[in-house]
Amino acid sequence: MQVRVQSEPFDAGAELNGFAQGRTDIGAVVSFTGVVRDTDGTLQEMLIEHYPGMTTSAITKIVEEAVSRWTLADALVIHRHGPLKPGEPIMMVATAAAHRAAAFAAADFLMDYLKSRAPFWKKEITDQGADWVAAKDEDEDALNRW
Amino acid sequence: MNVMYFAWVRERIGVPQETVETEAATVNDLIAELKTREDRYAAAFADISALRVALDQELSDFDAPLAGVREVAFFPPMTGG
């Protein structure tokens, strides 16, 4: 299990290649990479603020919950903070399990919880100005699936 | 105790953190006390439903007691992922 909170970019491909390497008891690896999206072509930068004293421990608790619920062989979460440009990776999760259903479900669970329970806040700096991204009701509702 | 603010709460109050001397029994009491201090607090805490609170780096509730708590953090709903 690995949790990394960092401002530096990461190579999702290299991370995935190194993930759960050497494990012969797993049959499924699932990964998700979140990317800075510029829907309207006006985004200059996305600024991600976080709560350094809480971030790693909050994510670790979420990952521990996923590992125990789905008996994961391994799990990885990388989440960046600081200023990011459109197209840059924000975060990734990877899960490894004996079967694909558990790996998919655990990755989905991790994404839902990271969105609403990990202390990050996104601010979009566009041609028109700067605005904090508001949490969506459906993101909170998504937690009830679990 | 150490009181921290994040995202637009930090911007509205104007500092990322500060030491607050208080006898407040609960988070709600602390908010009520801060709101009487200056307009910027009243503005930041105008709508509690738009806020979340963490006590000693754990998500908590506004009616939670503050006894023994060293760090209180106020912030909007999180937008990770």
Side-chain angles (χ1 to χ4, degrees):
Chain A
M1 193 180 108
Q2 211 188 130
V3 172
R4 276 163 36 206
V5 178
Q6 61 187 50
S7 58
E8 304 77 35
F10 61 88
D11 180 339
E15 296 291 346
L16 191 56
N17 283 334
F19 176 68
Q21 212 171 29
R23 296 287 298 247
T24 54
D25 56 336
I26 58 169
V29 171
V30 164
S31 78
F32 171 88
T33 306
V35 178
V36 178
R37 180 183 58 236
D38 178 14
T39 310
D40 305 320
T42 57
L43 185 71
Q44 295 170 359
E45 196 171 82
M46 178 171 278
L47 200 58
I48 301 182
E49 182 170 329
H50 77 127
Y51 182 175
M54 179 176 167
T55 316
T56 304
S57 65
I59 297 175
T60 301
K61 271 179 223 151
I62 295 167
V63 176
E64 282 170 353
E65 171 74 15
V67 167
S68 71
R69 263 204 219 196
W70 286 280
T71 332
L72 298 179
D74 205 356
L76 164 73
V77 173
I78 303 172
H79 204 303
R80 295 176 67 193
H81 57 85
L84 305 180
K85 297 287 181 201
E88 280 194 62
I90 303 175
M91 53 87 63
M92 77 175 282
V93 304
T95 55
H99 303 285
R100 73 170 190 269
F104 271 117
D108 208 9
F109 168 92
L110 285 172
M111 286 313 307
D112 278 350
Y113 270 82
L114 289 169
K115 209 152 189 64
S116 310
R117 290 292 181 271
F120 292 98
W121 299 275
K122 296 192 181 104
K123 188 179 199 178
E124 290 179 335
I125 292 104
T126 69
D127 300 344
Q128 284 83 45
D131 242 326
W132 292 98
V133 175
K136 295 189 186 78
D137 288 342
E138 59 251 44
D139 291 339
E140 191 66 28
D141 294 343
L143 301 185
N144 297 324
R145 296 199 290 143
W146 312 103
Chain B
M1 67 180 60
N2 188 31
V3 182
M4 305 182 77
Y5 311 104
F6 292 95
W8 61 256
V9 185
R10 169 180 56 73
E11 290 178 340
R12 224 165 272 187
I13 288 176
V15 292
Q17 59 180 302
E18 60 189 334
T19 302
V20 174
E21 301 296 334
T22 179
E23 299 292 318
T26 66
V27 176
N28 276 324
D29 293 343
L30 173 63
I31 290 171
E33 194 179 307
L34 290 172
K35 282 171 85 171
T36 63
R37 289 192 178 184
E38 285 177 56
D39 287 349
R40 58 197 171 106
Y41 293 100
F45 292 111
D47 179 11
I48 294 300
S49 71
L51 294 178
R52 300 289 180 269
V53 61
L55 302 181
D56 289 333
Q57 293 102 40
E58 294 262 7
L59 274 180
S60 190
D61 299 308
F62 289 98
D63 55 5
L66 289 178
V69 170
R70 284 169 300 172
E71 186 169 292
V72 180
F74 294 106
F75 41 78
M78 295 161 268
T79 51

